[in-house]
Amino acid sequence: MHRRSVVAYVGDGPDVRARVSRAVETAWAGPRAPECRATAPDALLEASEDADLQPLADACGIVTTTEAATDASVADRLAATPDSVPVVVVLEASTAEEFRVALRTDADGVVSAPPPEATGANSDVDPLVERLIDAVDPGRVRFGSDDADRLREVLLDSGSTLMSTRSDEVDTKISWTMENVGEHAELDRIVCYLRDGETFEPTYAWCPETCDTAPRQIDEFPGEARLSTFENVVHSSEPPESADPSADESDAPTEEGADRPATVHVPLVADWNLIGVLAFETDAWRTWTDEEVALYRTFGDLIAYTIARNDRRLELRRRTEQLEQFGSVVSHDLRNPLNVLSGYLDLVENEVSQSTYEPMDRAVTRMESLIDNLLMLAKRGDAIGETEPISVAGVAEEAWQTVRAPDATLTIADDVGRIRADPLRLRQVFENLFRNAVDHAGPSVAIEIGSRTDEAGDGMYIADDGPGVPPDVCGSLFDPGFTTADSSGIGLAIVDRIVDAHGWEVDVHNDDGAVFEVSFEAETTATPA
């Protein structure tokens, strides 16, 4: 899209060129009057395909003759100009052939009458003057279908750029895409205001010239009520009306807001919150089309998504660093004194009674297990290592050896088979589920492991004969720290994480006790032992 400020004459005839020049001077006056520029047909055909280098790049209207348009190449080039640039053809004679030539240029108007004598008071009766006034809006930026296609390509490129940006590139890439859109849309300014409390700060701005980038309150934006409900606010600018087209612009009647720039303000929305406002402005006379505004809204959505995604990424990084610091504290500040305590406990093993030693030993072992679980939750990266085909029964029996409940029983069905898993992590799943059953069902709990197959796929179940899970806590059972017994509340959270890392799913329901069901993905489906 280009700011059209030239009425171009395409032809070789000096008389018609002079006539077009007089018509332009008559039709408009004042500082916004367009320039009249002549281009020879040969120069038009030899011009580069680059729109910015073409002789008609700045044209707000084109006047040509049937003599020039007789050349099919010239007619085709004129017909290919943007829809927003009208073409007026001067007929040398009012014949069918002359009209056919004009139609070939996709003309918006024709002038068939001969020019009047270009003298003084009669110079404004040339029909070319009226035709230019009707068809051409000098100084106004027009948005045609070809402009929309080009802007869509720019937005597609901008979307690819913003979606692939890293945190340290966000500022640079948002600024670059704003510049790219502003230049292609022929705007004067784009300012991105981001919300900081009750103030909107101009965080990003593209202004080839100077512009106001002061912070604003929401009520300082036009249509603040509509912005607050996530609606676009559009203000088009119109040239001042004048009864006499030849009157100087300074004599034209003025209306309130006539000097106000044409603007589009779109809300930046993330998670149903107004996080900012993106302002598009131009000083040219401009009537925004619905298609154009929709494209600007798309650009605003891209920026809002990029900013929100980067905020979430930075917050996740901050929390990960906190977890790593927590893991370091657990690993060093807790494990080191625990090792000292364990060492002294070994020294006194033969000096105290078994009834005294065993509770202390269980407490130290419990603390070691608790620290291991906490490190597991705080661990950054994958929760599992290498996977391999393993026997479910074998891993479960190894885990059972760690259960300190002599009266508890474990029954493993013959059909549990083998699955592909990380053996150490699968053992931890069983250990935590066994410990959870003992904590909630008592030291004489009976636990059963078996296979299951239904419409959701294959899997296994771990069931106990305890009181079951209260229905109102099922949704929170796997949350870290949640517990209904005197325990750490992280055992089931670790089960959920390990199961998820394998690509499986875990759920719980009651059936004469608590039943934990693990659903396998296709690649890890259980096979007979």
PDB file of all heavy atoms in Angstrom, residues 313-346:
ATOM      1  N   ARG A 313       6.526 -18.407  30.177  1.00  0.00           N
ATOM      2  CA  ARG A 313       7.816 -19.080  30.094  1.00  0.00           C
ATOM      3  C   ARG A 313       8.780 -18.545  31.157  1.00  0.00           C
ATOM      4  O   ARG A 313       9.504 -19.310  31.805  1.00  0.00           O
ATOM      5  CB  ARG A 313       8.392 -18.889  28.684  1.00  0.00           C
ATOM      6  CG  ARG A 313       9.669 -19.649  28.427  1.00  0.00           C
ATOM      7  CD  ARG A 313       9.914 -19.801  26.942  1.00  0.00           C
ATOM      8  NE  ARG A 313       9.686 -18.583  26.204  1.00  0.00           N
ATOM      9  CZ  ARG A 313       9.666 -18.516  24.873  1.00  0.00           C
ATOM     10  NH1 ARG A 313       9.852 -19.609  24.162  1.00  0.00           N
ATOM     11  NH2 ARG A 313       9.462 -17.374  24.261  1.00  0.00           N
ATOM     12  N   LEU A 314       8.781 -17.232  31.361  1.00  0.00           N
ATOM     13  CA  LEU A 314       9.655 -16.648  32.376  1.00  0.00           C
ATOM     14  C   LEU A 314       9.228 -17.072  33.778  1.00  0.00           C
ATOM     15  O   LEU A 314      10.076 -17.316  34.646  1.00  0.00           O
ATOM     16  CB  LEU A 314       9.642 -15.119  32.252  1.00  0.00           C
ATOM     17  CG  LEU A 314      10.281 -14.547  30.986  1.00  0.00           C
ATOM     18  CD1 LEU A 314      10.099 -13.033  30.931  1.00  0.00           C
ATOM     19  CD2 LEU A 314      11.756 -14.905  30.897  1.00  0.00           C
ATOM     20  N   GLU A 315       7.914 -17.154  34.003  1.00  0.00           N
ATOM     21  CA  GLU A 315       7.422 -17.593  35.304  1.00  0.00           C
ATOM     22  C   GLU A 315       7.794 -19.057  35.554  1.00  0.00           C
ATOM     23  O   GLU A 315       8.195 -19.429  36.666  1.00  0.00           O
ATOM     24  CB  GLU A 315       5.904 -17.416  35.381  1.00  0.00           C
ATOM     25  CG  GLU A 315       5.255 -17.931  36.654  1.00  0.00           C
ATOM     26  CD  GLU A 315       5.704 -17.197  37.900  1.00  0.00           C
ATOM     27  OE1 GLU A 315       6.278 -16.092  37.773  1.00  0.00           O
ATOM     28  OE2 GLU A 315       5.469 -17.722  39.008  1.00  0.00           O
ATOM     29  N   LEU A 316       7.672 -19.894  34.517  1.00  0.00           N
ATOM     30  CA  LEU A 316       8.060 -21.299  34.657  1.00  0.00           C
ATOM     31  C   LEU A 316       9.554 -21.412  34.945  1.00  0.00           C
ATOM     32  O   LEU A 316       9.969 -22.234  35.776  1.00  0.00           O
ATOM     33  CB  LEU A 316       7.705 -22.062  33.382  1.00  0.00           C
ATOM     34  CG  LEU A 316       8.076 -23.551  33.356  1.00  0.00           C
ATOM     35  CD1 LEU A 316       7.350 -24.289  34.476  1.00  0.00           C
ATOM     36  CD2 LEU A 316       7.737 -24.160  32.005  1.00  0.00           C
ATOM     37  N   ARG A 317      10.353 -20.581  34.273  1.00  0.00           N
ATOM     38  CA  ARG A 317      11.797 -20.608  34.521  1.00  0.00           C
ATOM     39  C   ARG A 317      12.094 -20.193  35.965  1.00  0.00           C
ATOM     40  O   ARG A 317      12.957 -20.789  36.616  1.00  0.00           O
ATOM     41  CB  ARG A 317      12.499 -19.671  33.534  1.00  0.00           C
ATOM     42  CG  ARG A 317      14.015 -19.639  33.671  1.00  0.00           C
ATOM     43  CD  ARG A 317      14.610 -18.691  32.653  1.00  0.00           C
ATOM     44  NE  ARG A 317      14.261 -19.081  31.290  1.00  0.00           N
ATOM     45  CZ  ARG A 317      14.492 -18.330  30.217  1.00  0.00           C
ATOM     46  NH1 ARG A 317      15.041 -17.133  30.367  1.00  0.00           N
ATOM     47  NH2 ARG A 317      14.155 -18.759  29.024  1.00  0.00           N
ATOM     48  N   ARG A 318      11.375 -19.175  36.444  1.00  0.00           N
ATOM     49  CA  ARG A 318      11.594 -18.729  37.826  1.00  0.00           C
ATOM     50  C   ARG A 318      11.247 -19.837  38.816  1.00  0.00           C
ATOM     51  O   ARG A 318      11.988 -20.106  39.767  1.00  0.00           O
ATOM     52  CB  ARG A 318      10.741 -17.488  38.105  1.00  0.00           C
ATOM     53  CG  ARG A 318      10.960 -16.878  39.479  1.00  0.00           C
ATOM     54  CD  ARG A 318       9.975 -15.742  39.731  1.00  0.00           C
ATOM     55  NE  ARG A 318       8.617 -16.231  39.813  1.00  0.00           N
ATOM     56  CZ  ARG A 318       8.081 -16.772  40.907  1.00  0.00           C
ATOM     57  NH1 ARG A 318       8.820 -16.906  42.009  1.00  0.00           N
ATOM     58  NH2 ARG A 318       6.833 -17.187  40.910  1.00  0.00           N
ATOM     59  N   ARG A 319      10.130 -20.514  38.573  1.00  0.00           N
ATOM     60  CA  ARG A 319       9.723 -21.581  39.484  1.00  0.00           C
ATOM     61  C   ARG A 319      10.685 -22.769  39.402  1.00  0.00           C
ATOM     62  O   ARG A 319      10.959 -23.420  40.418  1.00  0.00           O
ATOM     63  CB  ARG A 319       8.305 -22.039  39.146  1.00  0.00           C
ATOM     64  CG  ARG A 319       7.246 -20.981  39.436  1.00  0.00           C
ATOM     65  CD  ARG A 319       5.859 -21.538  39.248  1.00  0.00           C
ATOM     66  NE  ARG A 319       4.834 -20.542  39.567  1.00  0.00           N
ATOM     67  CZ  ARG A 319       3.529 -20.808  39.579  1.00  0.00           C
ATOM     68  NH1 ARG A 319       3.099 -22.033  39.303  1.00  0.00           N
ATOM     69  NH2 ARG A 319       2.659 -19.859  39.866  1.00  0.00           N
ATOM     70  N   THR A 320      11.172 -23.048  38.207  1.00  0.00           N
ATOM     71  CA  THR A 320      12.135 -24.144  38.056  1.00  0.00           C
ATOM     72  C   THR A 320      13.410 -23.842  38.823  1.00  0.00           C
ATOM     73  O   THR A 320      13.980 -24.733  39.486  1.00  0.00           O
ATOM     74  CB  THR A 320      12.453 -24.365  36.568  1.00  0.00           C
ATOM     75  OG1 THR A 320      11.254 -24.679  35.869  1.00  0.00           O
ATOM     76  CG2 THR A 320      13.441 -25.507  36.385  1.00  0.00           C
ATOM     77  N   GLU A 321      13.855 -22.597  38.746  1.00  0.00           N
ATOM     78  CA  GLU A 321      15.049 -22.222  39.502  1.00  0.00           C
ATOM     79  C   GLU A 321      14.812 -22.349  41.004  1.00  0.00           C
ATOM     80  O   GLU A 321      15.699 -22.773  41.750  1.00  0.00           O
ATOM     81  CB  GLU A 321      15.458 -20.790  39.144  1.00  0.00           C
ATOM     82  CG  GLU A 321      15.990 -20.658  37.720  1.00  0.00           C
ATOM     83  CD  GLU A 321      16.237 -19.211  37.319  1.00  0.00           C
ATOM     84  OE1 GLU A 321      15.834 -18.315  38.100  1.00  0.00           O
ATOM     85  OE2 GLU A 321      16.809 -18.977  36.238  1.00  0.00           O
ATOM     86  N   GLN A 322      13.597 -21.992  41.451  1.00  0.00           N
ATOM     87  CA  GLN A 322      13.271 -22.158  42.863  1.00  0.00           C
ATOM     88  C   GLN A 322      13.290 -23.630  43.270  1.00  0.00           C
ATOM     89  O   GLN A 322      13.782 -23.982  44.345  1.00  0.00           O
ATOM     90  CB  GLN A 322      11.898 -21.554  43.165  1.00  0.00           C
ATOM     91  CG  GLN A 322      11.859 -20.033  43.122  1.00  0.00           C
ATOM     92  CD  GLN A 322      10.474 -19.495  43.404  1.00  0.00           C
ATOM     93  OE1 GLN A 322       9.474 -20.187  43.223  1.00  0.00           O
ATOM     94  NE2 GLN A 322      10.402 -18.248  43.859  1.00  0.00           N
ATOM     95  N   LEU A 323      12.765 -24.490  42.391  1.00  0.00           N
ATOM     96  CA  LEU A 323      12.774 -25.920  42.678  1.00  0.00           C
ATOM     97  C   LEU A 323      14.199 -26.455  42.738  1.00  0.00           C
ATOM     98  O   LEU A 323      14.530 -27.303  43.577  1.00  0.00           O
ATOM     99  CB  LEU A 323      11.976 -26.675  41.617  1.00  0.00           C
ATOM    100  CG  LEU A 323      10.459 -26.658  41.768  1.00  0.00           C
ATOM    101  CD1 LEU A 323       9.803 -27.346  40.578  1.00  0.00           C
ATOM    102  CD2 LEU A 323      10.040 -27.338  43.063  1.00  0.00           C
ATOM    103  N   GLU A 324      15.042 -25.967  41.822  1.00  0.00           N
ATOM    104  CA  GLU A 324      16.425 -26.415  41.838  1.00  0.00           C
ATOM    105  C   GLU A 324      17.128 -25.973  43.118  1.00  0.00           C
ATOM    106  O   GLU A 324      17.925 -26.727  43.706  1.00  0.00           O
ATOM    107  CB  GLU A 324      17.161 -25.884  40.609  1.00  0.00           C
ATOM    108  CG  GLU A 324      16.703 -26.544  39.304  1.00  0.00           C
ATOM    109  CD  GLU A 324      17.404 -25.965  38.092  1.00  0.00           C
ATOM    110  OE1 GLU A 324      17.923 -24.840  38.187  1.00  0.00           O
ATOM    111  OE2 GLU A 324      17.430 -26.646  37.057  1.00  0.00           O
ATOM    112  N   GLN A 325      16.836 -24.750  43.558  1.00  0.00           N
ATOM    113  CA  GLN A 325      17.411 -24.289  44.821  1.00  0.00           C
ATOM    114  C   GLN A 325      16.892 -25.126  45.991  1.00  0.00           C
ATOM    115  O   GLN A 325      17.643 -25.486  46.901  1.00  0.00           O
ATOM    116  CB  GLN A 325      17.075 -22.810  45.031  1.00  0.00           C
ATOM    117  CG  GLN A 325      17.746 -21.881  44.036  1.00  0.00           C
ATOM    118  CD  GLN A 325      17.254 -20.454  44.165  1.00  0.00           C
ATOM    119  OE1 GLN A 325      16.378 -20.149  44.969  1.00  0.00           O
ATOM    120  NE2 GLN A 325      17.826 -19.556  43.374  1.00  0.00           N
ATOM    121  N   PHE A 326      15.606 -25.443  45.917  1.00  0.00           N
ATOM    122  CA  PHE A 326      15.018 -26.288  46.953  1.00  0.00           C
ATOM    123  C   PHE A 326      15.681 -27.667  46.967  1.00  0.00           C
ATOM    124  O   PHE A 326      15.997 -28.213  48.025  1.00  0.00           O
ATOM    125  CB  PHE A 326      13.520 -26.427  46.709  1.00  0.00           C
ATOM    126  CG  PHE A 326      12.844 -27.447  47.572  1.00  0.00           C
ATOM    127  CD1 PHE A 326      12.605 -27.199  48.914  1.00  0.00           C
ATOM    128  CD2 PHE A 326      12.451 -28.665  47.041  1.00  0.00           C
ATOM    129  CE1 PHE A 326      11.986 -28.149  49.705  1.00  0.00           C
ATOM    130  CE2 PHE A 326      11.835 -29.616  47.834  1.00  0.00           C
ATOM    131  CZ  PHE A 326      11.592 -29.354  49.165  1.00  0.00           C
ATOM    132  N   GLY A 327      15.901 -28.239  45.784  1.00  0.00           N
ATOM    133  CA  GLY A 327      16.557 -29.531  45.690  1.00  0.00           C
ATOM    134  C   GLY A 327      17.960 -29.493  46.265  1.00  0.00           C
ATOM    135  O   GLY A 327      18.412 -30.451  46.903  1.00  0.00           O
ATOM    136  N   SER A 328      18.643 -28.386  46.022  1.00  0.00           N
ATOM    137  CA  SER A 328      19.999 -28.251  46.566  1.00  0.00           C
ATOM    138  C   SER A 328      19.970 -28.219  48.095  1.00  0.00           C
ATOM    139  O   SER A 328      20.807 -28.838  48.763  1.00  0.00           O
ATOM    140  CB  SER A 328      20.647 -26.979  46.023  1.00  0.00           C
ATOM    141  OG  SER A 328      21.921 -26.783  46.591  1.00  0.00           O
ATOM    142  N   VAL A 329      18.986 -27.511  48.648  1.00  0.00           N
ATOM    143  CA  VAL A 329      18.859 -27.444  50.106  1.00  0.00           C
ATOM    144  C   VAL A 329      18.561 -28.829  50.672  1.00  0.00           C
ATOM    145  O   VAL A 329      19.164 -29.276  51.662  1.00  0.00           O
ATOM    146  CB  VAL A 329      17.753 -26.447  50.510  1.00  0.00           C
ATOM    147  CG1 VAL A 329      17.446 -26.552  51.995  1.00  0.00           C
ATOM    148  CG2 VAL A 329      18.172 -25.028  50.146  1.00  0.00           C
ATOM    149  N   VAL A 330      17.613 -29.537  50.020  1.00  0.00           N
ATOM    150  CA  VAL A 330      17.260 -30.871  50.490  1.00  0.00           C
ATOM    151  C   VAL A 330      18.455 -31.809  50.412  1.00  0.00           C
ATOM    152  O   VAL A 330      18.745 -32.579  51.333  1.00  0.00           O
ATOM    153  CB  VAL A 330      16.075 -31.422  49.666  1.00  0.00           C
ATOM    154  CG1 VAL A 330      15.858 -32.904  49.969  1.00  0.00           C
ATOM    155  CG2 VAL A 330      14.817 -30.634  49.959  1.00  0.00           C
ATOM    156  N   SER A 331      19.169 -31.725  49.302  1.00  0.00           N
ATOM    157  CA  SER A 331      20.274 -32.653  49.067  1.00  0.00           C
ATOM    158  C   SER A 331      21.422 -32.441  50.041  1.00  0.00           C
ATOM    159  O   SER A 331      22.040 -33.405  50.507  1.00  0.00           O
ATOM    160  CB  SER A 331      20.773 -32.503  47.629  1.00  0.00           C
ATOM    161  OG  SER A 331      21.853 -33.369  47.377  1.00  0.00           O
ATOM    162  N   HIS A 332      21.716 -31.208  50.369  1.00  0.00           N
ATOM    163  CA  HIS A 332      22.884 -30.921  51.202  1.00  0.00           C
ATOM    164  C   HIS A 332      22.506 -30.633  52.656  1.00  0.00           C
ATOM    165  O   HIS A 332      23.001 -31.287  53.580  1.00  0.00           O
ATOM    166  CB  HIS A 332      23.667 -29.736  50.622  1.00  0.00           C
ATOM    167  CG  HIS A 332      24.234 -30.017  49.259  1.00  0.00           C
ATOM    168  ND1 HIS A 332      23.536 -29.763  48.109  1.00  0.00           N
ATOM    169  CD2 HIS A 332      25.421 -30.556  48.878  1.00  0.00           C
ATOM    170  CE1 HIS A 332      24.273 -30.120  47.064  1.00  0.00           C
ATOM    171  NE2 HIS A 332      25.416 -30.604  47.497  1.00  0.00           N
ATOM    172  N   ASP A 333      21.630 -29.672  52.863  1.00  0.00           N
ATOM    173  CA  ASP A 333      21.375 -29.214  54.218  1.00  0.00           C
ATOM    174  C   ASP A 333      20.597 -30.234  55.048  1.00  0.00           C
ATOM    175  O   ASP A 333      20.665 -30.203  56.283  1.00  0.00           O
ATOM    176  CB  ASP A 333      20.584 -27.898  54.193  1.00  0.00           C
ATOM    177  CG  ASP A 333      21.415 -26.767  53.581  1.00  0.00           C
ATOM    178  OD1 ASP A 333      22.548 -27.044  53.167  1.00  0.00           O
ATOM    179  OD2 ASP A 333      20.911 -25.636  53.514  1.00  0.00           O
ATOM    180  N   LEU A 334      19.817 -31.118  54.395  1.00  0.00           N
ATOM    181  CA  LEU A 334      19.089 -32.136  55.148  1.00  0.00           C
ATOM    182  C   LEU A 334      19.795 -33.488  55.132  1.00  0.00           C
ATOM    183  O   LEU A 334      19.868 -34.179  56.145  1.00  0.00           O
ATOM    184  CB  LEU A 334      17.664 -32.294  54.586  1.00  0.00           C
ATOM    185  CG  LEU A 334      16.721 -31.102  54.761  1.00  0.00           C
ATOM    186  CD1 LEU A 334      15.339 -31.446  54.211  1.00  0.00           C
ATOM    187  CD2 LEU A 334      16.613 -30.711  56.225  1.00  0.00           C
ATOM    188  N   ARG A 335      20.303 -33.876  53.974  1.00  0.00           N
ATOM    189  CA  ARG A 335      20.913 -35.200  53.882  1.00  0.00           C
ATOM    190  C   ARG A 335      22.199 -35.304  54.702  1.00  0.00           C
ATOM    191  O   ARG A 335      22.479 -36.354  55.305  1.00  0.00           O
ATOM    192  CB  ARG A 335      21.186 -35.555  52.420  1.00  0.00           C
ATOM    193  CG  ARG A 335      21.506 -37.032  52.238  1.00  0.00           C
ATOM    194  CD  ARG A 335      21.836 -37.341  50.790  1.00  0.00           C
ATOM    195  NE  ARG A 335      20.690 -37.185  49.926  1.00  0.00           N
ATOM    196  CZ  ARG A 335      19.751 -38.119  49.769  1.00  0.00           C
ATOM    197  NH1 ARG A 335      19.818 -39.246  50.460  1.00  0.00           N
ATOM    198  NH2 ARG A 335      18.747 -37.927  48.945  1.00  0.00           N
ATOM    199  N   ASN A 336      22.990 -34.248  54.735  1.00  0.00           N
ATOM    200  CA  ASN A 336      24.259 -34.322  55.476  1.00  0.00           C
ATOM    201  C   ASN A 336      24.044 -34.596  56.970  1.00  0.00           C
ATOM    202  O   ASN A 336      24.653 -35.524  57.528  1.00  0.00           O
ATOM    203  CB  ASN A 336      25.062 -33.039  55.279  1.00  0.00           C
ATOM    204  CG  ASN A 336      25.642 -32.954  53.871  1.00  0.00           C
ATOM    205  OD1 ASN A 336      25.689 -33.958  53.160  1.00  0.00           O
ATOM    206  ND2 ASN A 336      26.078 -31.767  53.479  1.00  0.00           N
ATOM    207  N   PRO A 337      23.198 -33.826  57.681  1.00  0.00           N
ATOM    208  CA  PRO A 337      22.982 -34.171  59.106  1.00  0.00           C
ATOM    209  C   PRO A 337      22.304 -35.529  59.274  1.00  0.00           C
ATOM    210  O   PRO A 337      22.530 -36.219  60.283  1.00  0.00           O
ATOM    211  CB  PRO A 337      22.103 -33.031  59.629  1.00  0.00           C
ATOM    212  CG  PRO A 337      21.512 -32.392  58.423  1.00  0.00           C
ATOM    213  CD  PRO A 337      22.490 -32.571  57.325  1.00  0.00           C
ATOM    214  N   LEU A 338      21.471 -35.934  58.289  1.00  0.00           N
ATOM    215  CA  LEU A 338      20.838 -37.244  58.382  1.00  0.00           C
ATOM    216  C   LEU A 338      21.886 -38.353  58.274  1.00  0.00           C
ATOM    217  O   LEU A 338      21.791 -39.388  58.967  1.00  0.00           O
ATOM    218  CB  LEU A 338      19.781 -37.396  57.288  1.00  0.00           C
ATOM    219  CG  LEU A 338      18.945 -38.675  57.339  1.00  0.00           C
ATOM    220  CD1 LEU A 338      18.139 -38.737  58.641  1.00  0.00           C
ATOM    221  CD2 LEU A 338      18.005 -38.747  56.130  1.00  0.00           C
ATOM    222  N   ASN A 339      22.888 -38.154  57.422  1.00  0.00           N
ATOM    223  CA  ASN A 339      23.971 -39.138  57.320  1.00  0.00           C
ATOM    224  C   ASN A 339      24.736 -39.258  58.647  1.00  0.00           C
ATOM    225  O   ASN A 339      25.157 -40.351  59.053  1.00  0.00           O
ATOM    226  CB  ASN A 339      24.930 -38.754  56.197  1.00  0.00           C
ATOM    227  CG  ASN A 339      24.318 -38.937  54.831  1.00  0.00           C
ATOM    228  OD1 ASN A 339      23.371 -39.710  54.667  1.00  0.00           O
ATOM    229  ND2 ASN A 339      24.848 -38.228  53.833  1.00  0.00           N
ATOM    230  N   VAL A 340      24.953 -38.116  59.316  1.00  0.00           N
ATOM    231  CA  VAL A 340      25.616 -38.140  60.618  1.00  0.00           C
ATOM    232  C   VAL A 340      24.784 -38.940  61.621  1.00  0.00           C
ATOM    233  O   VAL A 340      25.295 -39.800  62.380  1.00  0.00           O
ATOM    234  CB  VAL A 340      25.862 -36.709  61.140  1.00  0.00           C
ATOM    235  CG1 VAL A 340      26.415 -36.746  62.563  1.00  0.00           C
ATOM    236  CG2 VAL A 340      26.810 -35.966  60.203  1.00  0.00           C
ATOM    237  N   LEU A 341      23.471 -38.668  61.632  1.00  0.00           N
ATOM    238  CA  LEU A 341      22.578 -39.381  62.537  1.00  0.00           C
ATOM    239  C   LEU A 341      22.579 -40.877  62.239  1.00  0.00           C
ATOM    240  O   LEU A 341      22.606 -41.725  63.157  1.00  0.00           O
ATOM    241  CB  LEU A 341      21.164 -38.811  62.419  1.00  0.00           C
ATOM    242  CG  LEU A 341      20.085 -39.446  63.305  1.00  0.00           C
ATOM    243  CD1 LEU A 341      20.445 -39.285  64.770  1.00  0.00           C
ATOM    244  CD2 LEU A 341      18.728 -38.815  63.008  1.00  0.00           C
ATOM    245  N   SER A 342      22.559 -41.244  60.953  1.00  0.00           N
ATOM    246  CA  SER A 342      22.567 -42.658  60.568  1.00  0.00           C
ATOM    247  C   SER A 342      23.860 -43.336  61.004  1.00  0.00           C
ATOM    248  O   SER A 342      23.854 -44.492  61.463  1.00  0.00           O
ATOM    249  CB  SER A 342      22.390 -42.781  59.046  1.00  0.00           C
ATOM    250  OG  SER A 342      22.422 -44.127  58.645  1.00  0.00           O
ATOM    251  N   GLY A 343      24.987 -42.597  60.885  1.00  0.00           N
ATOM    252  CA  GLY A 343      26.266 -43.164  61.310  1.00  0.00           C
ATOM    253  C   GLY A 343      26.305 -43.440  62.799  1.00  0.00           C
ATOM    254  O   GLY A 343      26.769 -44.511  63.254  1.00  0.00           O
ATOM    255  N   TYR A 344      25.839 -42.499  63.619  1.00  0.00           N
ATOM    256  CA  TYR A 344      25.802 -42.707  65.064  1.00  0.00           C
ATOM    257  C   TYR A 344      24.829 -43.830  65.434  1.00  0.00           C
ATOM    258  O   TYR A 344      25.053 -44.588  66.402  1.00  0.00           O
ATOM    259  CB  TYR A 344      25.405 -41.427  65.776  1.00  0.00           C
ATOM    260  CG  TYR A 344      26.571 -40.475  65.975  1.00  0.00           C
ATOM    261  CD1 TYR A 344      26.709 -39.323  65.210  1.00  0.00           C
ATOM    262  CD2 TYR A 344      27.541 -40.752  66.951  1.00  0.00           C
ATOM    263  CE1 TYR A 344      27.788 -38.463  65.393  1.00  0.00           C
ATOM    264  CE2 TYR A 344      28.618 -39.894  67.143  1.00  0.00           C
ATOM    265  CZ  TYR A 344      28.741 -38.755  66.360  1.00  0.00           C
ATOM    266  OH  TYR A 344      29.816 -37.920  66.545  1.00  0.00           O
ATOM    267  N   LEU A 345      23.763 -43.946  64.642  1.00  0.00           N
ATOM    268  CA  LEU A 345      22.802 -45.011  64.925  1.00  0.00           C
ATOM    269  C   LEU A 345      23.439 -46.381  64.719  1.00  0.00           C
ATOM    270  O   LEU A 345      23.192 -47.325  65.486  1.00  0.00           O
ATOM    271  CB  LEU A 345      21.570 -44.834  64.032  1.00  0.00           C
ATOM    272  CG  LEU A 345      20.369 -45.743  64.322  1.00  0.00           C
ATOM    273  CD1 LEU A 345      19.854 -45.490  65.746  1.00  0.00           C
ATOM    274  CD2 LEU A 345      19.251 -45.492  63.315  1.00  0.00           C
ATOM    275  N   ASP A 346      24.252 -46.511  63.685  1.00  0.00           N
ATOM    276  CA  ASP A 346      24.961 -47.780  63.461  1.00  0.00           C
ATOM    277  C   ASP A 346      25.900 -48.103  64.626  1.00  0.00           C
ATOM    278  O   ASP A 346      26.082 -49.276  64.995  1.00  0.00           O
ATOM    279  CB  ASP A 346      25.754 -47.710  62.156  1.00  0.00           C
ATOM    280  CG  ASP A 346      24.858 -47.684  60.928  1.00  0.00           C
ATOM    281  OD1 ASP A 346      23.684 -48.097  61.062  1.00  0.00           O
ATOM    282  OD2 ASP A 346      25.312 -47.229  59.852  1.00  0.00           O
TER     283      ASP A 346
END
